[in-house]
Amino acid sequence: MLYTLYEAGYYACTPLRYAALAARDFWSSPLNPAADTALGRRLYASSDLFANLTRRYGKPDWKVDSVQIDGHIVRVRATEVWSSPWCKLTHFARDMADMRRAGRRELEPAVLIAAPLSGHYATLLRGTVEGFLQDHEVYITEWSNARDVPVMEGSFDFHDYIDQIRLMLRQMGPRPHVVAVCQPGPAVLAAAALMAEDDEECRPASMTFMGSPIDARLSPTVTNKLAEEKPFAWFKSNMIYTVPGPYPGVGRRVYPGFVQLASFMSMNLEKHQDAHFRYLQQLMAGDGDSADKHLEFYDEYLAALDLTEEFYLQTVDVVFQRYLLPKGELEHDGRRVRPELITDIGLLTVEGENDDISGIGQTQAAHDLCSGLPAELKEDYVQRTVGHYGVFNGKRFREEIYPRVRAFIRRTDMAFDKRRAAA
């Protein structure tokens, strides 16, 4: 019922939104002699803010058309190379002629960035992609919005996520590298453990976990405590709703993106209110640059997708309530997941000192689980002064975190080259 009421509210606001858009265009028109008056700027700013607060935020564009490599501009084209109803694998192909002009003539390591399936689109990792494009062939998981997947396609749960990761790694060829950002850490580690046990040719050469809840029992945050305090039945009763028409997934039970977004914003409500008030003041003052930065951030932040009931509830149960992976009790297709059997996959963990989503130690727990790995294939790094988002985006990521990940990937490849030569 809530989903239907939400949609009804959106459509009920449509006439007011169109009126606000018309007012915004009228009071910003250069043909309007009163546009540059204090009253005109106030009316323009108010109508623009109302239109933005009531509009639909769809999947943002990647806007990754080029990357600078060694002082040269290299063109980039996002290409879908594999897909299922639940995900598509996107390759950011760099122009080879531009790469040669930049002095890059050898094939560079392939990296799969496992984007979180936790509400926001993969485009939230735009900065992460741009960083890795400097030195790697970059692939990323783009998960589907559950409301757009017809019920006839079946269900999608935590174990399907593991299977999809394995399929995409196989698509990339022998020994790619994988980087799990936040939520997918446990599923990616499980996929790597299963592939290692099966001695698959396409098992990862290295795995990097960034702010991931490998063991959510450690340094619990507000998010972790909520999952612990509420019984499992509470999440099923209060967080799951049915997709209404006219979406293709009508009838599917989901954890709606707008519900998760409301949860996120309620944690820092005053901060978001202040940001929108500043935006209003910036428009009235004619500060277009600052207003554009506000819009750029919220175009990404307010774009949220739905998760299937099965995936959301299993993640709460497996990762945040029963802690099956760190306790050695996670089973997949009737097999126990055994990270201790990983012997030749490099492991790098990255955490943020001020992370309020995945506390210090939750990601580091992967080292204890991967007890079969030699010390030279393990590395841990804690970035000072950054929170959760800063672990995979922003200045600290570009200047301090990414260079360490790049060096680790290179060192891992060199170690495997020596092993192959010795064999």
Side-chain angles (χ1 to χ4, degrees):
M1 178 61 73
L2 179 64
Y3 210 136
T4 301
L5 289 174
Y6 172 79
E7 290 295 308
Y10 170 77
Y11 288 111
C13 284
T14 299
L16 295 175
R17 185 166 51 255
Y18 282 144
L21 290 171
R24 184 188 66 179
D25 293 343
F26 177 78
W27 289 108
S28 62
S29 172
L31 300 178
N32 185 346
D36 201 33
T37 64
L39 177 61
R41 289 194 297 270
R42 183 177 294 273
L43 291 171
Y44 161 71
S46 301
S47 57
D48 181 85
L49 179 62
F50 180 84
N52 281 318
L53 288 175
T54 58
R55 73 180 176 89
R56 185 86 76 186
Y57 287 81
K59 179 181 178 296
D61 294 329
W62 274 106
K63 300 178 183 177
V64 181
D65 300 319
S66 64
V67 63
Q68 190 172 69
I69 299 178
D70 298 334
H72 296 267
I73 299 297
V74 176
R75 290 167 291 179
V76 177
R77 185 179 70 257
T79 307
E80 179 184 312
V81 295
W82 177 89
S83 67
S84 75
W86 299 105
C87 188
K88 71 175 182 178
L89 179 61
T90 298
H91 176 211
F92 290 90
R94 299 170 296 179
D95 185 87
M96 295 309 299
D98 292 346
M99 289 290 288
R100 286 192 291 269
R101 280 192 287 270
R104 305 289 183 91
R105 299 181 180 278
E106 296 182 0
L107 187 64
E108 296 185 317
V111 172
L112 171 64
I113 299 177
L117 179 53
S118 57
H120 288 102
Y121 289 93
T123 50
L124 189 68
L125 305 185
R126 186 180 293 106
T128 318
V129 169
E130 291 174 334
F132 277 90
L133 275 172
Q134 299 174 63
D135 306 280
H136 305 91
E137 288 297 322
V138 178
Y139 297 76
I140 194 167
T141 61
E142 292 201 69
W143 302 101
S144 302
N145 191 335
R147 73 184 184 193
D148 295 329
V149 182
V151 174
M152 64 182 294
E153 295 293 351
S155 62
F156 178 85
D157 60 21
F158 180 83
H159 296 283
D160 291 319
Y161 191 113
I162 294 174
D163 289 334
Q164 298 271 290
I165 291 293
R166 295 178 70 181
L167 287 170
M168 285 183 274
L169 287 170
R170 292 167 186 158
Q171 182 70 27
M172 293 172 61
R175 307 313 299 268
H177 301 266
V178 60
V179 176
V181 179
C182 188
Q183 169 263 330
V188 170
L189 179 54
L194 293 166
M195 296 178 82
E197 183 176 0
D198 293 341
D199 196 28
E200 289 196 35
E201 182 184 18
C202 297
R203 65 189 182 279
S206 76
M207 48 189 177
T208 299
F209 299 108
M210 311 181 80
S212 294
I214 302 297
D215 189 345
R217 294 173 296 181
L218 307 175
S219 302
T221 63
V222 173
T223 304
N224 303 140
K225 292 176 181 177
L226 174 65
E228 289 180 345
E229 293 169 358
K230 301 292 185 182
F232 182 78
W234 182 89
F235 290 94
K236 188 169 185 176
S237 300
N238 293 277
M239 296 297 183
I240 305 300
Y241 300 93
T242 302
V243 177
Y247 296 110
V250 58
R252 182 178 294 281
R253 298 282 285 171
V254 299
Y255 174 38
F258 68 85
V259 173
Q260 180 159 348
L261 192 58
S263 301
F264 281 152
M265 298 191 74
S266 66
M267 295 172 63
N268 296 284
L269 186 58
E270 289 187 6
K271 178 181 177 181
H272 292 293
Q273 290 173 337
D274 291 343
H276 281 83
F277 183 68
R278 285 196 304 271
Y279 173 68
L280 187 67
Q281 292 177 314
Q282 289 158 2
L283 288 179
M284 290 190 291
D287 184 0
D289 291 339
S290 297
D292 286 344
K293 290 180 181 178
H294 171 94
L295 286 178
E296 183 179 350
F297 173 79
Y298 279 100
D299 280 351
E300 193 76 56
Y301 187 81
L302 297 177
L305 51 77
D306 297 352
L307 282 59
T308 66
E309 174 184 30
E310 311 83 45
F311 177 80
Y312 173 70
L313 293 179
Q314 278 193 358
T315 300
V316 170
D317 177 48
V318 170
V319 178
F320 295 106
Q321 289 195 338
R322 290 198 289 158
Y323 318 106
L324 295 185
L325 180 63
K327 290 166 68 176
E329 299 174 1
L330 178 63
E331 292 190 358
H332 180 77
D333 287 342
R335 299 168 55 188
R336 187 165 66 87
V337 176
R338 305 172 66 187
E340 67 272 16
L341 297 182
I342 299 175
T343 60
D344 63 352
I345 300 175
L347 171 62
L348 170 63
T349 56
V350 181
E351 294 181 319
E353 181 183 30
N354 302 325
D355 195 332
D356 60 351
I357 302 296
S358 296
I360 294 290
Q362 293 189 15
T363 310
Q364 295 172 356
H367 291 279
D368 291 335
L369 297 180
C370 299
S371 56
L373 276 175
E376 62 268 20
L377 290 181
K378 292 183 176 182
E379 184 176 326
D380 173 58
Y381 178 67
V382 177
Q383 177 62 53
R384 295 182 59 190
T385 73
V386 303
H388 187 70
Y389 188 75
V391 170
F392 56 88
N393 229 323
K395 181 179 179 180
R396 296 290 187 186
F397 168 77
R398 292 192 302 270
E399 297 181 357
E400 300 183 48
I401 295 175
Y402 170 69
R404 289 178 179 271
V405 180
R406 176 184 59 198
F408 182 77
I409 289 175
R410 289 178 176 175
R411 188 165 70 252
T412 303
D413 276 343
M414 289 177 63
F416 289 139
D417 287 342
K418 289 181 181 179
R419 287 190 179 188
R420 283 192 292 266

